Amino acid sequence: MASRAPVRCPGSSRRQQGPAHKHRSRRSSSSSMGDTLHLPGSCRRVSAWSEGSAPSPARLVKRPASVPGRLSDRCEEWSSCSDPEERSLGSARLSRDLGREESALLRGIFEIGKRSCDVLLTASRLLWSPIRPESPGKSKADLQIKEESVDVRDIFSVKLKRRRAAGKEKGGTLLGITIFLCVRKGHKLKDDSIDLHNLSEDYCHIWYRQLKEILNGFPNRPKSLKIIINPQSHKGEATNVYYRHVEPLLKLADIQTDVTETKYKGHGLALLKECELQEYDGIVCVGGDGSVSEVAHGLLLRAQMDAGKNINAGFKPVRASLPLGIISAGTANVLAFSVHGIRHSVTATLHIIMGNIQAVDACTFSSDDKLLRFGFSSMFGFGGRSLALAERHRWMPPNQRRDFAVIKSLANLKAESCDVSFLPITDRTVTCHGEHKLNDGTMSLTVVHNTSRPEFVRHLKRYATLKNQFNFPFVETHLVKEVKLHPRNISCHANGLYEENGKVRPCPSEDVHAWNIDGDLLEASCEVQVRLHPELINLYGRNIEELDEVKGKCNCL
C-alpha cells in the first residue's frame, strides 16, 4: 500500500505525499424495557534527511562496510585489547539482556553524541554502548559503561541524514542515519530523534533498509489517510493546527494524505458517502466535537450502506470499515480528551502514526423506527436547549457564544416534561464511575430531577470536576443498555398559553425538542430511542488497558 495513489474524493482541495521532508534534528440492545421514570417536568549549509537510493546487493557483498577515519582508529584500538575477556566485555554487555531466543540483525559502530558506540539491532530493540579502549591502569569496572536502548516499537521513522547547501533538495554529503522516536510522558506523546553518524554510504544503507523493513512490518500503521478539516472550528484554528503541527509529522512518517477543507455543515457527511474509502487506511478529522461527530456518523452510515443494511428499522449495525483519528481543534474537545486523556494535537497525531487503535462503543439514535444518527454521548433538556441557543448565535466568538447560551439557559431554567424508560445492566460486578472506559458495553444514564436553580448550578460546577458530581438527592444514575425518552405533549389553551409547575408559559411554535449529541444539534419531535452497540468503531488512541483509574465516585441506584 506504500506505493498506491489514493483516488481524490469530491471536494478534495489538496493532495500531499510524504517523501523527503526537511526537518531539523532535535536532541533530546431488548424488546421490552425495564423501569420507567415519570418526570413531572424535570543559510548557508543545512542538514536534511532523504530516502536515497540503496546500492545493489552485489555491491554490498563485494565491498564490506567501511568505518570513517576517526571511528576506524577507535575500532582498531578497541579490538587490539590484549585481554580477550576485556575485549569481549562490550559484546557481553550488549547481549546479556536480549534473551536466548532473540538474535542480532545488525551490529556496527556509529558515533552517537560525539562518542563512538557499539550499536546492536534486534527485531525488538536498538541498543548501544560507548566504546572505551584499554588504557593502562584501568580496571574492568572502569570499562563497564552504562548501556542505552530503545524499543523499535517506539520508532516511527528513519531517514538518511545529509548535509546540503541551502536551497538544494537532493544530493549532499551523507552524515549517517536519523531515527525518529515517539516518547511518552504521562498522557502526552512527543517526538524525539537519535543521530547515528557514519560516513559510509553502503554501511548506512544496510542499516536504513533493515530498519525500514522492521517499521513496515508493524500492523495498523497507516500509509494513506483522508484528512477532513473544518476551517471554521474555533476561529479557524483547525487549519493552523493541521499545517503547523500535524502535517509535518505525517510527512516525516511517509504517510500520504488527501486533504479536504469542509465548506458547509454536512459537507463531511456528504464526502464520506461518495469517497472511495478502500484507497485509505484511516480517516482523520481536524475540528471540534461537532465536526468529529459528523464524520463519525458519516463513516458508520457509509458502512451500513456498503453492507446493504436497512437503516429504517431496528437493525444491528456493522462496524465501520476504517479507524477514525481525532485531532482536537475546537472549543470543548470532549471526544478527543476521552480518547487521548489530553487535548494535544501532537499526541493525537503520534497515536495515528504509531497505529494505536482501540475499539469504541457507539449508539444509534432512532425515532419511529428510523435512524436519526450515530453518536457516542447525548444530553436532553438543559444541555440540548443551551446548544440550540448557541447555534442561533454563531456570529459570536466560540467562547462568548457558549457562555452566553449557558447563562441565558440558566436564567430561563425549566424542567422537561417527559417519560424515561431504560433497560438496566444486571451485572452487579459492573460499577458506575464519573467517567467510563470507552468499550465496557454500558451506557451511563444520569437523570436530574426538578430542583432549584442554585442547586442545579452546584451540580453543574461539580460535574466538571469528577468529584462527587452525582452526590445530590435530585440526581439518579443508572448503568443501562437502552433508553427511551418520550416527551409529554403540552396542552395549550386557546390563548396560546399553557401552565407548568404553577407558572403560565407561552406554547412553543413547534413541538420540537433539542438534543446535544457529541456537541452537534439534533431536533426531534417525538420519542427517541438510544441503543448501545459494543465496539462499533475503531478510534486512533491509547489502548483501553492503559486508561488510568478514575477517582470520581457516584451512587448507583
Side-chain angles (χ1 to χ4, degrees):
M1 296 180 69
S3 62
R4 65 187 168 188
V7 177
R8 295 190 62 178
C9 296
S12 296
S13 60
R14 191 170 287 100
R15 177 69 183 165
Q16 299 161 334
Q17 294 185 354
H21 173 59
K22 289 185 179 180
H23 188 75
R24 188 160 296 170
S25 171
R26 299 191 299 108
R27 292 294 304 163
S28 39
S29 115
S30 172
S31 57
S32 60
M33 305 301 290
D35 303 278
T36 299
L37 298 178
H38 299 283
L39 305 184
S42 353
C43 205
R44 307 182 175 156
R45 302 177 69 90
V46 298
S47 296
W49 296 275
S50 65
E51 299 292 344
S53 56
S56 64
R59 182 183 175 193
L60 292 178
V61 173
K62 292 181 181 179
R63 180 181 174 188
S66 60
V67 180
R70 184 158 50 106
L71 288 178
S72 236
D73 299 338
R74 298 287 300 275
C75 236
E76 292 173 1
E77 186 178 8
W78 175 57
S79 300
S80 64
C81 179
S82 59
D83 189 342
E85 183 178 356
E86 291 184 1
R87 187 168 62 243
S88 63
L89 182 61
S91 175
R93 181 168 61 249
L94 283 174
S95 304
R96 63 187 177 213
D97 295 328
L98 293 179
R100 297 180 179 179
E101 75 285 352
E102 188 176 19
S103 59
L105 299 177
L106 289 174
R107 185 170 187 177
I109 297 176
F110 289 89
E111 186 176 288
I112 303 177
K114 298 183 179 181
R115 301 189 67 176
S116 297
C117 296
D118 183 17
V119 185
L120 184 68
L121 176 65
T122 73
S124 64
R125 283 192 290 173
L126 179 70
L127 308 93
W128 66 94
S129 180
I131 299 172
R132 178 178 294 179
E134 179 186 14
S135 300
K138 294 291 182 179
S139 65
K140 296 181 180 180
D142 295 328
L143 297 176
Q144 294 180 358
I145 303 175
K146 183 179 179 181
E147 164 188 300
E148 298 183 68
S149 68
V150 296
D151 195 316
V152 296
R153 293 175 300 181
D154 295 331
I155 301 175
F156 70 87
S157 183
V158 57
K159 300 290 182 181
L160 293 174
K161 185 178 182 180
R162 298 181 183 274
R163 179 183 289 116
R164 300 189 181 117
K168 298 292 184 179
E169 296 183 359
K170 295 182 179 180
T173 304
L174 181 70
L175 300 178
I177 300 173
T178 298
I179 295 173
F180 296 90
L181 306 170
C182 175
V183 181
R184 180 165 187 167
K185 291 187 176 181
H187 295 310
K188 182 179 290 187
L189 301 182
K190 58 177 292 187
D191 60 297
D192 204 349
S193 63
I194 300 175
D195 292 322
L196 279 65
H197 292 108
N198 192 306
L199 302 183
S200 169
E201 290 269 356
D202 295 348
Y203 198 59
C204 289
H205 274 293
I206 294 173
W207 281 75
Y208 171 79
R209 292 195 305 171
Q210 183 66 75
L211 284 166
K212 289 289 288 185
E213 183 179 343
I214 293 175
L215 297 186
N216 290 335
F218 288 121
N220 300 330
R221 293 196 179 186
K223 298 294 188 301
S224 178
L225 294 171
K226 177 62 187 176
I227 313 293
I228 301 177
I229 304 175
N230 180 5
Q232 303 301 320
S233 290
H234 199 54
K235 301 180 181 180
E237 187 65 19
T239 303
N240 179 59
V241 166
Y242 176 75
Y243 289 109
R244 184 176 180 181
H245 301 291
V246 180
E247 184 190 53
L249 287 173
L250 297 181
K251 282 187 174 181
L252 190 59
D254 300 322
I255 297 177
Q256 299 178 9
T257 58
D258 188 6
V259 182
T260 297
E261 294 188 6
T262 58
K263 302 183 184 305
Y264 55 87
K265 185 177 178 62
H267 189 183
L269 175 60
L271 184 69
L272 290 170
K273 287 183 178 180
E274 303 173 4
C275 198
E276 297 292 337
L277 295 184
Q278 66 272 17
E279 299 295 337
Y280 305 102
D281 298 320
I283 306 295
V284 176
C285 179
V286 187
D289 290 333
S291 303
V292 175
S293 177
E294 179 182 320
V295 172
H297 170 62
L299 194 55
L300 284 165
L301 189 61
R302 174 62 183 271
Q304 316 314 310
M305 295 169 55
D306 292 343
K309 287 284 186 176
N310 178 13
I311 62 174
N312 294 322
F315 71 108
K316 182 178 181 180
V318 298
R319 298 186 64 183
S321 59
L322 295 177
L324 172 63
I326 303 174
I327 307 294
S328 59
T331 304
N333 304 310
V334 175
L335 286 175
F337 185 83
S338 299
V339 176
H340 306 131
I342 190 174
R343 298 175 180 90
H344 189 237
S345 58
V346 171
T347 295
T349 304
L350 288 172
H351 277 302
I352 295 170
I353 293 173
M354 302 301 288
N356 297 332
I357 290 179
Q358 56 173 310
V360 173
D361 302 343
C363 301
T364 53
F365 295 82
S366 306
S367 181
D368 290 334
D369 288 331
K370 180 180 180 180
L371 177 69
L372 299 176
R373 67 174 300 141
F374 291 94
F376 301 103
S377 65
S378 66
M379 289 186 288
F380 177 83
F382 177 82
R385 288 197 303 270
S386 59
L387 178 61
L389 183 58
E391 288 296 310
R392 294 197 295 269
H393 293 78
R394 293 196 67 86
W395 53 271
M396 289 184 175
N399 289 334
Q400 294 182 17
R401 182 172 69 236
R402 182 183 58 182
D403 293 343
F404 167 79
V406 170
I407 294 173
K408 188 72 173 179
S409 298
L410 284 173
N412 298 322
L413 186 65
K414 66 174 183 178
E416 293 286 348
S417 180
C418 59
D419 294 329
V420 178
S421 302
F422 58 91
L423 186 64
I425 298 291
T426 57
D427 187 357
R428 297 300 180 181
T429 63
V430 180
T431 58
C432 179
H433 294 282
E435 177 183 320
H436 280 280
K437 293 182 180 181
L438 300 179
N439 66 349
D440 61 1
T442 69
M443 289 189 295
S444 179
L445 171 64
T446 302
V447 180
V448 181
H449 294 271
N450 194 12
T451 189
S452 65
R453 184 180 292 107
E455 286 296 297
F456 185 74
V457 171
R458 286 182 58 209
H459 165 66
L460 289 181
K461 289 182 177 180
R462 194 181 297 180
Y463 191 84
T465 64
L466 293 179
K467 183 179 180 181
N468 298 327
Q469 70 267 48
F470 305 132
N471 192 20
F472 290 95
F474 54 88
V475 177
E476 292 184 30
T477 59
H478 306 268
L479 288 176
V480 301
K481 293 182 179 179
E482 187 174 347
V483 176
K484 285 184 180 181
L485 191 147
H486 181 77
R488 295 178 184 170
N489 294 328
I490 297 175
S491 299
C492 293
H493 302 292
N495 59 359
L497 301 176
Y498 74 99
E499 184 176 348
E500 180 184 57
N501 298 330
K503 295 183 179 180
V504 177
R505 303 179 184 272
C507 290
S509 57
E510 296 182 5
D511 192 14
V512 175
H513 303 272
W515 288 74
N516 181 334
I517 301 181
D518 303 327
D520 206 5
L521 180 64
L522 171 69
E523 293 182 325
S525 59
C526 52
E527 179 182 273
V528 172
Q529 180 179 14
V530 186
R531 296 169 57 208
L532 178 71
H533 305 278
E535 301 186 351
L536 195 59
I537 187 172
N538 286 331
L539 299 182
Y540 287 109
R542 58 203 175 122
N543 296 326
I544 293 298
E545 291 78 8
E546 297 176 359
L547 285 170
D548 295 335
E549 290 295 328
V550 180
K551 297 180 179 180
K553 299 180 180 180
C554 67
N555 296 323
C556 298
L557 305 177

